[in-house]
Amino acid sequence: MRLKGKHIVLGITGGIAAYKSAVLCRLLIKEGAEVKVVMTPNATEFITPVTMATLSKNSVLIDFFKHDDGSWNSHVDLGLWADAMLVAPATASSIGKMANGIADNLLITTYLSCKAPVFVAPAMDLDMMAHPSTQRNIKQLASYGNLIIEPESGELASGLEGKGRMAEPESIVNFLVDALDPKKKSLAGKTVLITAGPTYEKIDPVRFIGNFSTGKMGFALAEVLAGQGAGVVLIAGPVHIKCHHPNISRIDVQSAIEMQQKALEHFSNCDAAIMSAAVADYRVDQMANEKIKHDKNQSISIQLVPNPDIAASLGQIKKEGQVLVGFALETHNEQAHAQKKLVEKNLDFIVLNSLNTPGAGFGHDTNQITIIDSNGFEAFELKSKTEVAQDIVHRLIRLLN
Ligand code: C5P
């Protein structure tokens, strides 16, 4: 019952994701919240007010006036009753109205009257989401102090990746719980170091040995940690992704040696470190200073030497109170190998990625993990990398407080 006694106004706007608002409402109530639902007229095309009234155990508010007796639904009273307002799904149109004060329905007027924190879970077609106008409106809402619950990724009509699908109800509830419980937003004042992405080990000025890591898991962790109030030092190998939160300070590196140097430089000022980088195990012993010429009649060999283990080197200098987290990607005897690494690298817990689960690991937007510590293991379902990051961060928060 993580929301016991909390008054939540659940605002539903007219998008297909409105069907998920039923589950969301049920989850909020399961967590002990009292829920009052306000819907835009368009939302009633996607889910019936009867469904929402039954689930919320309160009558649903749609119109300014009750048609039968002409009495007024007070958006001001509703706004004052709320400990939080959650708009989920929030369509491009409603986000635009909220950002610009276009109060032509009860939901928007309630939003404008609300004195409590407002959470917004955007849900729309990915191309609509990517439009500069939508992006501007969302930024505008964030600048009013509204909390934006990141939507999920998918493919745009152009083939590029974008975001738009509403976050899953479970993630939305977790987001609310974290933000509303002052004890949970407990990474304020903490600093966390993250390594992410691959490393490139140069062979000559134009060639390297690398791997397929995209850095998505580490970057998702950085965003979730920053969202929880932590300062994040993100040491990233060569990746093609951006980070967004202003509390993330990013250091770009190429090789394992550079990554280790930066990690050692910053670790002593950090409360925790999460080693999510896919560090190359070997580097080229003697990098050629000039491009190696090819000779079709001759094979060549490159001498490789082991790279330092960055996680283990931090494990060696870890002080009392500092938390060190590692990842393991195994193909067989997964748990036993992960357990061994936990001890060898002096980690507080290790996140095991299963290569045996379709959709998990390198390049995917989803991941399936098991968290292992000295007390045992906890297995999680296949989830988006953002949700996985939330699970990992929840565990970290428990250790840091
Ligand atoms: O030993 P293995 O590579 O399987 O260990 C994986 C964990 O150790 C990950 O957390 C990874 O980021 C970290 N690691 C590291 N430096 C290395 C190799 C692995 O920090 N050279």
Side-chain angles (χ1 to χ4, degrees), residues 255-284:
S255 67
I257 296 282
E258 286 171 328
M259 187 176 271
Q260 185 190 36
Q261 230 168 17
K262 293 293 174 193
L264 288 171
E265 194 178 309
H266 289 273
F267 184 54
S268 59
N269 298 323
C270 292
D271 300 281
I274 305 180
M275 307 280 98
S276 75
V279 183
D281 291 316
Y282 295 92
R283 68 176 181 280
V284 177

Side-chain angles (χ1 to χ4, degrees), residues 1-160:
M1 295 278 246
R2 298 175 299 165
L3 293 169
K4 200 166 171 27
K6 291 265 188 264
H7 290 175
I8 295 179
V9 171
L10 174 58
I12 306 177
T13 73
I16 184 64
Y19 79 92
K20 289 189 184 172
S21 307
V23 179
L24 183 55
C25 180
R26 208 168 50 86
L27 288 176
L28 291 169
I29 287 179
K30 218 168 118 193
E31 292 288 356
E34 189 177 339
V35 179
K36 289 190 181 175
V37 174
V38 50
M39 295 172 80
T40 63
N42 272 337
T44 63
E45 304 282 343
F46 292 91
I47 187 159
T48 73
V50 177
T51 304
M52 295 314 302
T54 311
L55 290 172
S56 69
K57 304 186 181 81
N58 274 312
S59 50
V60 170
L61 303 158
I62 302 159
D63 299 315
F64 288 108
F65 296 98
K66 290 191 185 126
H67 293 297
D68 46 357
D69 61 3
S71 63
W72 187 46
N73 284 323
S74 170
H75 55 89
V76 179
D77 290 349
L78 194 58
L80 292 175
W81 174 84
D83 293 311
M85 180 171 183
L86 165 63
V87 185
T91 57
S93 165
S94 287
I95 288 172
K97 289 180 190 177
M98 288 160 76
N100 295 289
I102 301 172
D104 65 350
N105 63 47
L106 189 63
L107 189 150
I108 310 289
T109 51
T110 304
Y111 164 72
L112 293 176
S113 304
C114 188
K115 297 276 176 284
V118 178
F119 299 82
V120 182
M124 67 198 74
D125 174 82
L126 304 185
D127 292 281
M128 281 173 92
M129 183 70 166
H131 195 280
S133 139
T134 314
Q135 289 299 315
R136 185 202 56 204
N137 287 334
I138 289 178
K139 283 208 180 81
Q140 200 70 36
L141 288 186
S143 77
Y144 304 153
N146 299 160
L147 293 126
I148 312 297
I149 305 175
E150 279 269 296
E152 310 252 340
S153 307
E155 202 171 295
L156 295 164
S158 60
L160 294 172

